Amino acid sequence: MRKKIVTFGELMLRLAPEGYERFVQAERYGATYGGGEANVAVSLANYGFDAVFVTKLPAHEIGQGGINALRKFGVDTSYIVRGGERMGIYFLEKGASQRPSKVIYDRAGSSICGAEKGDFNWKKIFDKAKWFHFTGITPALNDNVAGICLDACREAKKAGATISCDLNYRKKLWSREKAGQVMGALCEYVDVCIANEEDAADVFGIRAANTDVTAGEVDQGSYKDVARQLMDRFGFQKIAITLRESLSANDNLWSAMLYDGKEYYFSRKYNMHIVDRVGGGDSFGGGLIAACLNDYDPYKTIGFAAAASCLKHSIEGDFNMVSLEEVERLAAGDASGRVQR
């Protein structure tokens, strides 16, 4: 039987100018769908797992289009609640060279923001589930959604599911103080914590020394202390931290660290030329969950997660459309990019 993973969050409509055009010059926008937890579900479905995505979407054609986009990759959408007036939208302007990418949200009043606790039968949803995943974006939507997320964590614990959370701080959604308060309560239920080089500082005030993300400088050793402090505070089973060294909007150095409370494990470092950065962290989370459920050893686990995310940076859109075999090939060292014949 395929292992079941549940993810909960907001699915959004993504509107982006063609190529590298700026918002002010765009005359046409491409439309796709995406969202943190939905992106993780797609990755896991592609790796052969029973991935279930839970949200609330309007009962019109735009909402149905989002559901169809998930179904295309084999994601179970049977627990998606229909209702509300609108789907959240985000506009993406892709950066180039030293000009950063930019996101503008239009998500106020979306269906998930109006969700009620009675909309979701978590006991039924978590039946036979092995894993539950959410991100810090979801409880940031409003207090009611944060309460629903807390209910989900409690029920997932009762069901014996492993719980993972990507801290994913979004300053456009809430303050650092509010994030620390809400995420602190949720993290009491979390087994596997995922963060990047800024999240631990923004949410919990835990900072890495000798690191300046704006200058593209990451000191791997400093993140050992960050992971240890997070572990000491919340008692996580595992902490995974992505290490992005931004040389420009197009070129990054990419690696990751895993800490299990005893040892620190680092992936290889990839020199990436980026096609689309959005969803990079979600693809890392999907890879990490897959590796854990496949019982990979710690080195292979962090190597698989980093390789999965590296590949996502080469793919347009939010979803990581790669197979288990493609990720394993890169993780094993085939990074040449040569034509496969």
Side-chain angles (χ1 to χ4, degrees):
M1 180 181 294
R2 301 201 317 171
K3 293 177 181 177
K4 176 181 174 182
I5 303 101
V6 176
T7 73
F8 170 64
E10 181 172 22
L11 181 68
M12 304 181 71
L13 176 66
R14 162 174 157 171
L15 299 176
E18 295 182 339
Y20 293 94
E21 288 186 345
R22 306 212 70 187
F23 289 137
V24 294
Q25 71 184 124
E27 297 181 352
R28 289 173 294 276
Y29 284 76
T32 54
Y33 295 91
E37 298 87 352
N39 300 341
V40 171
V42 169
S43 283
L44 290 165
N46 284 336
Y47 300 147
F49 293 95
D50 179 10
V52 179
F53 177 64
V54 182
T55 192
K56 188 170 185 177
L57 289 172
H60 54 47
E61 291 84 353
I62 305 301
Q64 189 61 45
I67 290 175
N68 293 349
L70 295 170
R71 287 176 175 170
K72 177 181 178 181
F73 295 99
V75 174
D76 183 343
T77 61
S78 59
Y79 295 106
I80 292 180
V81 176
R82 307 302 294 272
E85 299 297 324
R86 69 185 299 259
M87 172 177 275
I89 298 171
Y90 83 91
F91 297 86
L92 171 67
E93 178 185 281
K94 289 175 64 175
S97 190
Q98 276 64 51
R99 174 173 60 84
S101 296
K102 180 178 292 185
V103 169
I104 296 175
Y105 289 125
D106 179 17
R107 65 199 305 177
S110 65
S111 291
I112 188 67
C113 289
E116 301 176 356
K117 291 191 175 185
D119 285 335
F120 308 102
N121 184 344
W122 292 115
K123 184 175 181 179
K124 182 177 180 181
I125 291 169
F126 285 118
D127 182 42
K128 297 182 175 63
K130 299 295 184 183
W131 201 288
F132 173 54
H133 179 76
F134 69 100
T135 77
I137 299 172
T138 300
L141 296 176
N142 60 40
D143 290 344
N144 195 46
V145 178
I148 294 172
C149 202
L150 186 59
D151 287 346
C153 287
R154 289 170 175 160
E155 198 61 45
K157 277 296 180 187
K158 291 179 184 178
T162 300
I163 300 176
S164 61
C165 174
D166 188 334
L167 294 181
N168 255 350
Y169 176 72
R170 295 291 184 269
K171 64 183 179 181
K172 292 185 178 181
L173 296 181
W174 57 358
S175 68
R176 291 182 175 88
E177 292 74 20
K178 182 73 171 181
Q181 175 188 351
V182 174
M183 295 305 295
L186 287 167
C187 281
E188 296 295 334
Y189 295 86
V190 171
D191 302 297
V192 179
C193 178
I194 302 168
N196 66 19
E197 60 271 22
E198 298 172 273
D199 289 334
D202 288 330
V203 179
F204 297 124
I206 298 174
R207 291 175 169 79
N210 304 318
T211 293
D212 181 356
V213 296
T214 60
E217 299 172 0
V218 171
D219 176 32
Q220 288 187 341
S222 299
Y223 284 96
K224 291 181 179 181
D225 185 54
V226 170
R228 182 188 55 77
Q229 290 186 60
L230 285 170
M231 185 78 75
D232 289 346
R233 177 169 176 180
F234 295 105
F236 301 126
Q237 294 176 10
K238 295 183 178 71
I239 297 173
I241 297 181
T242 56
L243 306 171
R244 183 189 297 274
E245 300 170 69
S246 294
L247 308 179
S248 70
N250 298 102
D251 296 286
N252 289 182
L253 300 178
W254 179 255
S255 60
M257 181 190 79
L258 179 68
Y259 179 51
D260 63 4
K262 298 178 181 179
E263 300 289 339
Y264 301 91
Y265 306 90
F266 287 89
S267 74
R268 72 179 65 213
K269 184 180 291 188
Y270 296 98
N271 190 334
M272 304 185 304
H273 185 73
I274 298 173
V275 171
D276 193 331
R277 174 173 168 170
V278 176
D282 305 322
S283 59
F284 176 83
L288 185 75
I289 294 169
C292 289
L293 288 171
N294 283 336
D295 295 321
Y296 292 168
D297 65 53
Y299 277 117
K300 188 173 181 181
T301 293
I302 196 62
F304 184 91
S309 185
C310 177
L311 287 173
K312 164 61 194 76
H313 285 77
S314 71
I315 298 169
E316 294 276 7
D318 277 49
F319 298 156
N320 193 19
M321 294 172 273
V322 298
S323 67
L324 187 76
E325 293 74 21
E326 287 176 311
V327 179
E328 288 185 334
R329 186 182 303 122
L330 177 58
D334 186 357
S336 66
R338 293 176 63 87
V339 176
Q340 300 294 314
R341 302 183 189 277

